[in-house]
Amino acid sequence: MNRNDALEVLEAHLPKKRYDHSIRVTNTAIQLAGRYGVAKEQTEMAAIFHDYAKFRSKDELKRWITHTHLPKDLLFYHHQLWHGPVGAILIEREQGIKDPAIQAAIHCHTTGKKDMSPLELILYVADYIEPGRSFPGLDEVREMANKDLVKTAWMISRNTIHYLMEKNQPIYPDTFHAYNDLTKKIS
Ligand code: DGI
Ligand code: FE
Ligand code: FE
Ligand code: FE
């Protein structure tokens, strides 16, 4: 599938604001891919479709988790965490995109995980720093994204855990696994 076909498909599945976010994430991810030597085509597809399942109903997302190989512990956490794992499955079933690297990046884009590949790191980072986002501390993260991809992802996982704890939110294990693994890897 080329970029234009992919965007046309995406547009049919997302409201305008989320579609525009996806385009900004895609442009950001492609820049990072150039900087860090990651394949452009895979990066582009992963970014375009990363929020593909974001507007499915809670019931539908729950059904996909229940009836596929997806980890059942997701159901004990916030439904906000479900669209990545389900999206990774739906792009194959509905759009015929069967690339494990793309699917894995979409799967973990919200939480991160242990041992993320460069493509996975790029999507995780691009989703957080895309130019439409603004919150305290983001400038520092954007600056680091030009220098060190692992350190940037570490900052994001740390900020995310901090933010969730401030809100007394439960934290999914993969979010901690990302933080612990990245902490070991930063010098
Ligand atoms: O889909 P997007 O809004 O573009 O971004 P996303 O998929 O990264 O989702 C971000 C939200 O997910 C943000 O509000 C923080 C939340 N989140 C990330 N990790 C966890 C989490 N929420 C809970 N409850 N637990 C987590 O581990
Ligand atoms: Fe998302
Ligand atoms: Fe994110
Ligand atoms: Fe997103």
Side-chain angles (χ1 to χ4, degrees):
M1 200 184 301
N2 67 33
R3 181 187 176 109
N4 285 342
D5 292 344
L7 289 177
E8 205 169 297
V9 167
L10 191 73
E11 201 167 15
H13 283 87
L14 297 180
K16 174 93 167 78
K17 274 175 79 168
R18 182 59 41 174
Y19 174 77
D20 290 345
H21 157 75
S22 303
I23 291 182
R24 292 192 299 268
V25 171
T26 302
N27 294 337
T28 304
I30 288 171
Q31 279 177 23
L32 292 170
R35 175 175 294 274
Y36 294 107
V38 171
K40 177 181 177 259
E41 312 285 304
Q42 275 182 321
T43 303
E44 187 171 51
M45 278 298 136
I48 288 175
F49 285 109
H50 82 281
D51 279 338
Y52 178 72
K54 184 99 176 172
F55 283 79
R56 303 301 168 103
S57 70
K58 253 171 88 169
D59 273 356
E60 180 179 356
L61 294 170
K62 195 179 279 185
R63 271 202 308 279
W64 286 111
I65 293 167
T66 305
H67 297 297
T68 61
H69 64 272
L70 288 176
K72 305 302 170 242
D73 66 349
L74 283 167
L75 296 171
F76 299 114
Y77 290 84
H78 200 277
H79 59 86
Q80 170 76 29
L81 303 183
W82 301 349
H83 69 283
V86 173
I89 287 179
L90 291 187
I91 59 158
E92 178 175 345
R93 298 214 186 195
E94 298 179 358
Q95 306 302 334
I97 299 167
K98 191 177 175 173
D99 179 329
I102 292 172
Q103 291 171 280
I106 293 173
H107 181 115
C108 75
H109 84 265
T110 303
T111 60
K113 65 179 179 185
K114 184 179 191 285
D115 288 329
M116 282 196 275
S117 71
L119 172 61
E120 288 159 4
L121 290 169
I122 282 175
L123 185 58
Y124 182 72
V125 168
D127 190 28
Y128 193 87
I129 68 167
E130 64 94 343
R133 300 234 199 238
S134 81
F135 40 83
L138 191 51
D139 286 345
E140 197 192 343
V141 179
R142 288 196 174 117
E143 234 173 84
M144 186 55 72
N146 295 321
K147 298 181 210 157
D148 186 329
L149 188 60
V150 170
K151 185 91 187 278
T152 310
W154 172 78
M155 290 168 84
I156 293 169
S157 72
R158 185 197 56 180
N159 290 358
T160 300
I161 289 169
H162 194 105
Y163 164 81
L164 292 167
M165 288 184 77
E166 289 290 339
K167 294 210 308 169
N168 294 337
Q169 286 286 313
I171 298 173
Y172 190 65
D174 279 348
T175 303
F176 284 123
H177 293 152
Y179 172 78
N180 289 337
D181 179 54
L182 293 163
T183 301
K184 277 183 225 157
K185 288 170 177 164
I186 57 171
S187 38

